[in-house]
Amino acid sequence: MAKRGGNLHQTRIRKIDGRIGDLRDELQMALGLKDEQIAINQTTRHIIIKGWKKAEVDKFLEERRF
C-alpha cells in the first residue's frame, strides 16, 4: 500500500482473528523488525509494517499454514 503520493510504503495484514499481539511479536522476530517498524491498529485489528514486505509476510504465513 502506498500513501502520501507514493512515498510512504506500508504492508498491511487484515482480517486477523485471535491473539494479534502474539502474531505481531512473531512477525517482528521472523522479519528482524524494530519496534517502530511494526504496529497494531486495535480499532481495525490490522498489523501495519513499514515498507513493502509482502513476499516475506506471505512466506512467514505459509510456513505456519495460514
Side-chain angles (χ1 to χ4, degrees):
M1 163 181 274
K3 298 187 102 176
R4 295 187 192 159
N7 66 352
L8 176 65
H9 304 292
Q10 296 179 336
T11 303
R12 183 170 300 202
I13 304 171
R14 307 178 315 134
K15 299 182 182 180
I16 302 169
D17 292 330
R19 295 180 168 179
I20 193 167
D22 292 344
L23 179 59
R24 182 193 71 89
D25 293 341
E26 288 184 27
L27 270 168
Q28 185 176 2
M29 297 260 308
L31 301 179
L33 301 172
K34 298 178 183 175
D35 285 338
E36 60 270 2
Q37 293 177 316
I38 188 167
I40 298 174
N41 183 331
Q42 291 291 347
T43 305
T44 59
R45 295 193 52 86
H46 293 175
I47 295 177
I48 302 165
I49 303 169
K50 288 186 179 180
W52 283 338
K53 306 279 187 196
K54 184 179 185 305
E56 294 93 339
V57 171
D58 283 346
K59 183 179 176 186
F60 171 83
L61 294 174
E62 285 176 5
E63 288 173 355
R64 284 154 181 79
R65 300 180 189 249
F66 279 93

